[in-house]
Amino acid sequence: MSASVTNGIVIIGAGQAASQAVMSLRSEGYEGPIRMIGDEAEPPYQRPPLSKKFLAGEIGFDRVELKPAEFYANAGCELLLSTRVAAIERAKKIVLTSDGREIAYDKLIIATGSRVREINVPGFDLEGVHYLRSVADVHEIQKNFKPGAKMVVVGGGYIGLEVAAVAKKHDIAVTVLETAERVMARVVDPIVSHFYERIHREEGVVIRTGVTVAGFEGKDGRITHVVSGEGESFPCDFVVVGIGIIPNTELAQDAGVTVENGIVVDEMTRTSDPDIYAAGDCTNHPNGVYGRRLRLESVHNAIEQGKTAAAAITGKDKPYNQVPWFWSDQYDLKLQIAGLSTGYTEAVTRGNPAEGRSFAVFYLKDGVLIAVDAVNRAPEFMTARQLIAKQVKLDPKRLADETISMKEVANA
């Protein structure tokens, strides 16, 4: 596509998928104008470190921003930051901003990502109740990091447990409240859940599962207690709520673009409107490995869909069809997940999660490897990721036998 295109490409959103789309559009030879619209003040940055090293104060913003602002200027991408999009008018092919601007497009990429799921209980608006999704959120939470402070984490998923791990390093008393009967129940098998519960308890974190939050109580406008639906009261100086995210699909839906558990796209990230593409957390896309549609919340998905959208716009269709992968850093533990374990018929453990700090769980469906959870086991993760894509049958006994290398397992 040449520079003769009048209005060029508009990208709504300024996250991982949006940044990748800019890089890939230029690398694919697109020469027309690009405008990126984001509601935060900062240029695109990585979100995973926010609950890890950035929250811990171990790295600064320069280590989480994807590219410095000069990159976008040099790439000919106009950044419209601190700007919210109010509507998409598909018939006119314009984007309306909340401050009254009309921005025309030839092709549009919706990369609006997701937002935190807020808790709606009495006291939700007390000072000291925090969420973690942005750099600004991190700065507010860090103000509470004082030795001896009491923190309650509502939600025992990735974010909640990562925040708990960082807080313990700052000598904070941490209690995690999880509604489900085990932590990370939505994403891992009980074997992995029980391992993380053990590790956190050994580190001094109080883990309470099967606990609902009924409300927050405070004094002089600031939170002092979390009250459970079971009648318990947990004293605290501040709270971090991590109960999931919601895809930002409202703009697409209001514009009449098909939305069903995410913005519905094809394997080239095209939406129901041929001039609109979507990428990242906000999408629902087909996956050939698993033979079904998925909505994924992952960096890998955002990057690859950003690449795919750019390729499609420039007439170089490159279907997106990959094994999903995710990771979580807690203490000295790196959890790496490849694939999706939903529907597995057998779980095979390699290593000893009951005592050690390094193991892997392989998930087989009728003998075929469909997913792996690997804790401090990079070889198992890397090999399994390749095997999942090939959809091969494996011998469970060989998988479990640590005297047999993963290379040997793969080549059997």
Side-chain angles (χ1 to χ4, degrees):
M1 195 173 290
S2 70
S4 62
V5 175
T6 307
N7 297 315
I9 296 168
V10 171
I11 304 172
I12 304 176
Q16 192 97 42
S19 180
Q20 183 63 54
V22 173
M23 289 186 272
S24 295
L25 281 166
R26 293 310 186 204
S27 67
E28 295 285 2
Y30 179 78
E31 298 175 356
I34 304 174
R35 298 178 181 86
M36 182 192 298
I37 309 171
D39 56 10
E40 292 186 56
E42 297 85 5
Y45 59 86
Q46 305 172 68
R47 295 196 187 272
L50 297 188
S51 57
K52 306 175 183 74
K53 290 188 175 183
F54 189 73
L55 177 63
E58 296 174 14
I59 59 174
F61 184 75
D62 62 318
R63 294 275 300 281
V64 298
E65 66 178 348
L66 291 163
K67 295 286 184 181
E70 309 89 76
F71 163 82
Y72 301 97
N74 294 336
C77 173
E78 181 183 0
L79 288 181
L80 304 173
L81 302 177
S82 300
T83 302
R84 189 176 65 82
V85 173
I88 300 165
E89 292 196 5
R90 291 167 54 207
K92 297 180 180 178
K93 295 181 75 169
I94 60 172
V95 167
L96 304 176
T97 65
S98 56
D99 56 5
R101 280 179 284 179
E102 294 186 359
I103 302 172
Y105 66 85
D106 291 299
K107 299 292 183 183
L108 179 67
I109 301 175
I110 303 175
T112 44
S114 53
R115 62 188 183 275
V116 296
R117 185 181 300 278
E118 297 185 3
I119 191 167
N120 184 20
V121 296
F124 73 93
D125 55 350
L126 286 169
E127 185 181 351
V129 177
H130 301 279
Y131 296 86
L132 200 161
R133 189 65 181 165
S134 68
V135 165
D137 293 336
V138 172
H139 292 324
E140 288 301 311
I141 292 170
Q142 286 173 328
K143 292 176 184 178
N144 300 280
F145 277 13
K146 300 169 185 175
K150 294 184 179 69
M151 175 180 78
V152 170
V153 176
V154 178
Y158 287 147
I159 296 296
L161 295 183
E162 288 170 359
V163 170
V166 170
K168 285 307 299 181
K169 291 181 180 178
H170 288 75
D171 196 25
I172 293 169
V174 181
T175 300
V176 175
L177 305 180
E178 167 57 45
T179 303
E181 292 305 315
R182 56 187 178 87
V183 301
M184 298 195 294
R186 190 173 67 90
V187 292
V188 299
D189 181 82
I191 295 169
V192 182
S193 293
H194 296 152
F195 167 80
Y196 275 93
E197 288 172 9
R198 172 175 73 82
I199 294 298
H200 277 278
R201 285 175 175 138
E202 288 176 359
E203 295 287 346
V205 174
V206 176
I207 300 275
R208 295 291 305 275
T209 56
V211 175
T212 58
V213 172
F216 302 134
E217 294 180 347
K219 182 179 181 182
D220 300 326
R222 184 172 182 86
I223 192 164
T224 58
H225 292 82
V226 176
V227 180
S228 77
E230 293 71 32
E232 291 186 84
S233 181
F234 300 88
C236 60
D237 297 302
F238 66 109
V239 168
V240 176
V241 180
I243 55 173
I245 63 173
I246 300 171
N248 292 322
T249 60
E250 289 80 3
L251 281 172
Q253 188 159 7
D254 291 347
V257 174
T258 302
V259 171
E260 186 177 338
N261 184 31
I263 301 169
V264 176
V265 298
D266 65 12
E267 64 273 19
M268 253 67 75
T269 73
R270 296 185 184 97
T271 70
S272 56
D273 183 316
D275 293 319
I276 299 179
Y277 299 73
D281 286 9
C282 62
T283 68
N284 177 327
H285 65 277
N287 182 281
V289 177
Y290 293 97
R292 65 180 190 272
R293 300 191 69 87
L294 304 173
R295 187 179 67 77
L296 299 174
E297 301 157 9
S298 80
V299 169
H300 170 246
N301 181 61
I303 291 172
E304 294 303 321
Q305 286 194 320
K307 292 178 182 178
T308 300
I313 287 172
T314 54
K316 304 170 185 177
D317 285 0
K318 299 176 183 178
Y320 171 46
N321 181 34
Q322 298 185 24
V323 175
W325 62 274
F326 318 84
W327 82 93
S328 176
D329 293 331
Q330 300 171 41
Y331 308 111
D332 61 333
L333 309 172
K334 177 172 284 292
L335 168 63
Q336 294 172 293
I337 298 174
L340 303 170
S341 61
T342 306
Y344 74 89
T345 55
E346 183 177 6
V348 179
T349 304
R350 184 180 178 94
N352 187 356
E355 296 180 2
R357 294 172 83 96
S358 170
F359 68 98
V361 183
F362 301 92
Y363 302 95
L364 306 176
K365 184 175 183 179
D366 301 324
V368 176
L369 182 66
I370 61 171
V372 65
D373 296 336
V375 177
N376 291 348
R377 290 284 181 118
E380 281 81 353
F381 167 73
M382 294 301 295
T383 303
R385 189 176 161 194
Q386 296 168 4
L387 293 173
I388 293 165
K390 296 176 182 177
Q391 298 181 307
V392 297
K393 282 196 172 187
L394 295 174
D395 181 348
K397 290 182 180 179
R398 289 176 63 81
L399 270 178
D401 189 346
E402 294 191 86
T403 66
I404 302 174
S405 73
M406 286 306 297
K407 186 175 180 180
E408 291 178 271
V409 171
N411 294 330

